[in-house]
Amino acid sequence: MTLAFVFPGQGAQTIGMGKALADAYPAAKAVFDEVDEALGESLSSLIWDGDIETLTLTQNAQPALMATSMAAMRALEADGVDVTRAAFVAGHSLGEYSALAAAGALSVADTARLLRTRGQAMQSAVPVGEGAMAAILGLDLDAVRAVAEEAAQGEVCQAANDNDPTQVVVSGAKAAVERAAEIAKEKGAKRAVMLPVSAPFHCALMQPAADVMAEALAGVEIKAPAVPLVANVRAEAVTDPDLIRQLLVEQVTGSVRWRESVQYMVAQGVTEAWEIGAGKALSGMIRKIDRSVACSAVGTPEDVKKALQAGD
């Protein structure tokens, strides 16, 4: 068994996530305390007792999902499984920050502050209502790239997330993304679904946010991760801290190459993936990419025990 730890991105958030871990493991509770202190507010209260609309705001969802992933990681560590059990770490978009925190490249406090900054910068880069994203189902990456190019008509429209062989997300100016959704259906897509997001992530319109993150990341220590990171924009393993810093900036405007990242890990011998944190979205994508990979979601104390038994 060669194992990868993967970390979810935005959309996985739910009210109450991580609470059972915090109740069962002091080390998991300490993660939420550390994030609250780093942000100067009780994000944990919002996560556990707040409303989903406020939690879903990008500036809240990003550090909240990281905190939940790190709580699950600390629970695993408390039961004797540390990050070096994995051959690789990888994360979907903001999950890349969780992966780096899990691998010891970033401190939890710095990661929380970076993700708060990232969320605010991504939200403010494009006025609400001017950008959009749509999931194109049933066309491959090349076909969706052609659709995006045809739909652009002088506006930004790009393939943003190559999630799995059946789903590619486009991002850009609202009118262009709406055109892409219609063109995709004409070209044989099974469905084209406008996504309930507040900004057009992972496209050129995010350049102002990339500039903010370049400055924010310049002031933070990044260490070599304990295990290699499979980076979103490269779909290959990286360990050099300066390169990681550069790729985190590129990631804001660049495509999330998740399908290729999973294929890369499989080619390196990965046969099992543990999804660390909230939800099971990545497990579903991985199964569509390569059914030979055994997937486990690790987001509750019960999940931790199951994963440990499976890994024995």
Side-chain angles (χ1 to χ4, degrees), residues 143-226:
V144 173
R145 280 180 173 154
V147 165
E149 191 174 332
E150 183 179 337
Q153 296 178 22
E155 295 183 293
V156 171
C157 188
Q158 292 170 242
N161 300 354
D162 180 16
N163 285 334
D164 65 47
T166 70
Q167 184 193 114
V168 181
V169 174
V170 293
S171 181
K174 186 168 185 280
V177 171
E178 288 170 343
R179 286 192 294 270
E182 291 308 311
I183 293 167
K185 286 186 269 194
E186 291 166 11
K187 302 273 190 193
K190 290 178 183 170
R191 291 173 67 205
V193 183
M194 299 299 290
L195 299 179
V197 294
S198 53
F201 305 129
H202 299 291
C203 75
L205 295 176
M206 287 287 112
Q207 187 57 49
D211 295 341
V212 170
M213 290 313 296
E215 188 174 338
L217 285 157
V220 168
E221 182 185 15
I222 300 178
K223 299 174 182 172

Side-chain angles (χ1 to χ4, degrees), residues 132-147:
M133 300 180 78
I136 310 300
L137 308 180
L139 293 181
D140 66 15
L141 177 62
D142 288 341
V144 173
R145 280 180 173 154
V147 165

Side-chain angles (χ1 to χ4, degrees), residues 46-72:
L46 171 61
I47 299 169
W48 297 334
D49 302 308
D51 64 275
I52 190 65
E53 289 79 15
T54 307
L55 180 60
T56 297
L57 293 173
T58 302
Q59 66 191 47
N60 293 328
Q62 295 200 23
L65 285 161
M66 181 278 297
T68 304
S69 287
M70 285 306 300

Side-chain angles (χ1 to χ4, degrees), residues 16-33 44 48-49 68 71-72 74-75 78 299-302 305:
M17 63 183 183
K19 180 71 166 68
L21 289 166
D23 290 343
Y25 294 91
K29 172 71 164 59
V31 170
F32 289 102
D33 292 342
S44 58
W48 297 334
D49 302 308
T68 304
R74 295 288 184 256
T300 67
E302 295 73 31
K305 300 292 187 256

